[in-house]
Amino acid sequence: MRIGLLDLKSNLFLSPLAGYTNLPFRLALREIGGLDLATTDLVNARSLLEKNPRALKLIETCPADRPLAVQLFGSVPEEMRDAAQHLESIGIASVYVNMGCPVRMVCRVGGGSAMMTELDQTAKLVKGMVAAVRIPITAKMRLGWDEQNITAPDLARALEDVGVAAIFVHGCTREQGFSGAVNLAGIRAVVGAVKRIPVIGNGDVTSPQAAGHMLGQTGCAGVSIGRGAFYNPWIFLHTQRYLRCGDLLPGPTFEERVRVMCRHLDLMIEVFGEEHGCRLFRKVAPWYAKRFGPANVFNKRVVTVGSKAEFGKILADYFEWRKQFLDERGELKTPYQSPPLVASFMQEADAAQRQRIPVPKGPVEVW
């Protein structure tokens, strides 16, 4: 797949989830495979130019985290242009302009979904960014502000005209926030609105089948996955195989899930330090445990973990407790093998009929 000057090895993308898709998580996903271009959390252009420590931490990267796009928001053309130039100068591969964030504090300053209500102004802002850098400028949008104001097709056309290299579209409106089913017909309308640039669909992709369904129903060139990756870090590898060969790889073993979880913690500590890394990991570990079978003992303790040594003790105690649910081969006994919630996520391709993965709890002031 090609976006501007970028030749990509995969048409599967990591959608940003504020507070979760940080450097450790991106590295953990890249090590599993199937992912090429990933995107940072939401970064305020002004804060980046002012070298705010929090903004700089959000764009932290390393050679193994390539190619990387930085997700910018802002409504001041000069700030967005200068931020794009700065990102290009430090080796970032692409700038991803957020026009989809529904949160009030972002919209009230003219960023996020508010950009979908002022098409001419938004196109002018983006045109200045495109003219200032060689790296591709992409845009992430929703279908519109609400069902009565579906502006995504018109905005996509306007942005293509000013040089945007790709459109990422979440098939929901701003009014829906993070609830409601994705509207595949809405994404298909955006695909039909542009002539030359790829459109990448987003929303409710929680399994390889759902990714294939979105591609088939919308004609989009790629799929961007957010919550599905957090629930199942193997989704990129498995989806890549499914799209190429039509079959599903077997799910990872319990031991492999634990290995990746431990690797994720190691990366958290490496990037954020032991104390802060463990504190951040408290909201991550229970998502891994959703696929462990019975895990209530583990979940109750891991949400207070404060050190790597303590995590090791929690894990060892959990292994011992979990033995009561295993058969003579060391496998989960039949009643615990495939919880209904897991089965529905992995087997049903139609997003409108599937149970939905909840939005992870996080920094609402950013979301």
Side-chain angles (χ1 to χ4, degrees):
M1 183 168 184
R2 188 174 179 88
I3 293 180
L5 298 177
L6 284 179
D7 282 317
L8 302 176
K9 300 174 184 176
S10 173
N11 67 338
L12 306 176
F13 301 83
L14 174 64
S15 295
L17 273 177
Y20 292 94
T21 47
N22 47 34
L23 176 57
F25 184 51
R26 298 195 304 267
L27 290 173
L29 290 174
R30 291 183 188 280
E31 290 177 4
I32 292 172
L35 173 66
D36 200 22
L37 183 65
T39 306
T40 68
D41 286 2
L42 196 60
V43 182
N44 185 309
R46 182 177 302 172
S47 294
L48 184 62
L49 294 172
E50 293 174 348
K51 295 183 169 52
N52 180 290
R54 185 176 180 277
L56 296 179
K57 195 66 178 177
L58 287 173
I59 67 167
E60 183 176 4
T61 186
C62 66
D65 184 35
R66 297 287 191 274
L68 180 67
V70 169
Q71 181 189 197
L72 280 183
F73 87 90
S75 58
V76 179
E78 294 77 15
E79 291 176 352
M80 294 290 281
R81 177 200 64 204
D82 293 349
Q85 289 178 321
H86 171 69
L87 292 170
E88 181 180 48
S89 74
I90 62 174
I92 297 301
S94 177
V95 174
Y96 177 103
V97 181
N98 184 290
M99 303 178 188
C101 181
V103 174
R104 185 176 294 107
M105 71 169 290
V106 174
C107 293
R108 73 185 180 196
V109 295
S113 297
M115 298 182 78
M116 300 195 68
T117 65
E118 298 288 347
L119 273 59
D120 291 343
Q121 185 174 315
T122 297
K124 184 177 179 181
L125 179 149
V126 173
K127 183 177 182 180
M129 298 175 69
V130 171
V133 297
R134 295 186 70 248
I135 60 175
I137 303 294
T138 68
K140 168 64 177 290
M141 63 182 66
R142 287 175 174 252
L143 296 181
W145 187 261
D146 53 33
E147 290 294 336
Q148 288 70 47
N149 295 279
I150 301 298
T151 55
D154 290 338
L155 180 57
R157 273 192 294 267
L159 293 177
E160 181 180 36
D161 289 343
V162 298
V164 158
I167 300 291
F168 291 74
V169 58
H170 185 183
C172 293
T173 65
R174 189 267 178 187
E175 186 179 49
Q176 286 178 264
F178 296 100
S179 63
V182 65
N183 181 344
L184 296 179
I187 296 176
R188 187 167 60 247
V190 178
V191 173
V194 298
K195 299 176 181 177
R196 301 175 302 277
I197 62 175
V199 173
I200 293 90
N202 172 231
D204 287 348
V205 178
T206 56
S207 69
Q209 300 98 314
H213 185 65
M214 176 175 282
L215 289 165
Q217 292 295 310
T218 69
C220 59
V223 171
S224 189
I225 303 171
R227 287 170 291 160
F230 198 59
Y231 175 73
N232 175 22
W234 288 264
I235 193 170
F236 294 102
L237 183 66
H238 290 190
T239 300
Q240 192 174 62
R241 169 64 179 240
Y242 178 75
L243 295 178
R244 288 178 177 175
C245 305
D247 61 340
L248 291 171
L249 292 170
T253 63
F254 172 72
E255 290 75 18
E256 176 65 4
R257 294 184 191 281
V258 171
R259 184 194 69 78
V260 172
M261 178 178 66
C262 292
R263 174 60 175 156
H264 196 159
L265 175 60
D266 288 342
L267 290 166
M268 285 286 218
I269 292 172
E270 182 180 320
V271 172
F272 296 108
E274 184 168 25
E275 181 181 354
H276 188 45
C278 286
R279 189 163 61 246
L280 291 174
F281 197 67
R282 293 172 184 175
K283 63 184 180 181
V284 172
W287 280 81
Y288 281 98
K290 288 179 184 293
R291 309 295 289 277
F292 287 176
N296 56 314
V297 167
F298 175 80
N299 287 333
K300 286 178 181 178
R301 293 180 61 189
V302 80
V303 293
T304 62
V305 67
S307 69
K308 184 175 179 179
E310 184 183 355
F311 180 77
K313 179 67 165 60
I314 292 170
L315 201 55
D317 291 346
Y318 171 60
F319 289 160
E320 188 64 32
W321 177 83
R322 189 174 181 270
K323 287 180 181 178
Q324 65 185 299
F325 303 103
L326 305 180
D327 60 22
E328 63 277 1
R329 298 172 301 167
E331 302 290 337
L332 279 174
K333 296 175 183 176
T334 302
Y336 308 105
Q337 283 180 352
S338 184
L341 192 63
V342 172
S344 69
F345 286 153
M346 298 306 294
Q347 296 174 4
E348 179 61 64
D350 186 352
Q353 300 300 320
R354 283 183 292 107
Q355 296 186 52
R356 294 170 53 79
I357 295 175
V359 176
K361 294 181 179 178
V364 177
E365 70 279 3
V366 177
W367 286 13

